[in-house]
Amino acid sequence: MRVRDAITRLRREKAQVSIAAVARRANVSRTFLYDHPEARATIAAAMTETGERRAQLLADQDQEGEAIWRERALNAEDGLKAAHAEILAQRTRIGELLGQVRDLESEWTQGAVQRITTENTTLKQRVRQLTADNRTLDERLKAARSNLRFQDRRVADLEAQLLDPPVGK
């Protein structure tokens, strides 16, 4: 009776049914279980049943996992189809833009390109020349301002001398 109760408790707790586990729960020795064929047969039947339940549980989990992976695979296929469609659309757009670039390039003759390049080079030289001239004029302006400040001080000193005649003459 204690052996059956122990097996029932192990099943309820979803613990593994074994000779050692039943002996501990039933508070009997293993020798007792091995010596009594009825107890040994009950434990063997419980172990077989538990093994079958575990096998069924694992099979169910495998099926659930397989269903999840199947769902993921289908989602991945849909994503892949969408990506391929987007890539195709992008390639088409790139082709159209390259065609427009070629059309624009074909409007310019080699002579026109060379003329524009020459004008660009001339304009760059002119900009450099004007920058140098501007720098020179800026330096001259600073020097003129410095001279003007000096002359203003000199005039102020001379005016002061005219207004204050030296004492003693």
Side-chain angles (χ1 to χ4, degrees):
M1 189 66 134
R2 287 193 304 192
V3 170
R4 285 190 191 111
D5 290 343
I7 291 171
T8 304
R9 274 187 277 146
L10 286 171
R11 284 182 182 162
R12 203 174 314 131
E13 295 170 3
K14 296 185 180 177
Q16 186 172 353
V17 178
S18 66
I19 298 282
V22 172
R24 279 191 304 273
R25 292 291 174 104
N27 206 12
V28 297
S29 69
R30 291 186 207 170
T31 307
F32 172 82
L33 295 176
Y34 285 119
D35 287 344
H36 290 81
E38 183 181 335
R40 198 172 9 161
T42 304
I43 293 171
M47 288 172 58
T48 304
E49 185 179 325
T50 303
E52 290 172 358
R53 269 198 230 141
R54 285 185 188 261
Q56 182 62 36
L57 181 63
L58 289 175
D60 291 345
Q61 287 176 348
D62 284 347
Q63 287 176 353
E64 288 175 18
E66 192 174 307
I68 290 170
W69 282 108
R70 193 176 306 118
E71 180 81 20
R72 286 182 179 177
L74 291 173
N75 289 340
E77 286 178 6
D78 291 342
L80 189 60
K81 286 178 186 176
H84 281 299
E86 179 66 22
I87 289 170
L88 182 61
Q90 293 294 329
R91 285 182 178 169
T92 303
R93 180 72 177 135
I94 289 170
E96 291 170 359
L97 293 173
L98 285 174
Q100 290 176 4
V101 168
R102 281 190 211 106
D103 290 345
L104 290 173
E105 287 175 346
S106 66
E107 292 178 8
W108 298 95
T109 64
Q110 185 62 31
V113 171
Q114 189 162 1
R115 181 182 52 80
I116 290 172
T117 305
T118 305
E119 286 178 12
N120 190 25
T121 304
T122 304
L123 288 173
K124 284 180 182 178
Q125 288 173 349
R126 182 74 178 133
V127 165
R128 279 194 292 272
Q129 180 62 42
L130 289 173
T131 304
D133 291 348
N134 189 21
R135 197 174 302 120
T136 303
L137 290 173
D138 193 38
E139 290 171 0
R140 285 183 183 173
L141 178 62
K142 285 179 186 177
R145 285 180 179 161
S146 177
N147 286 338
L148 181 62
R149 281 192 296 273
F150 176 76
Q151 293 298 328
D152 282 344
R153 270 189 256 123
R154 180 78 176 127
V155 167
D157 288 343
L158 290 174
E159 286 176 349
Q161 284 178 2
L162 285 175
L163 292 176
D164 295 329
V167 182
K169 280 192 182 184

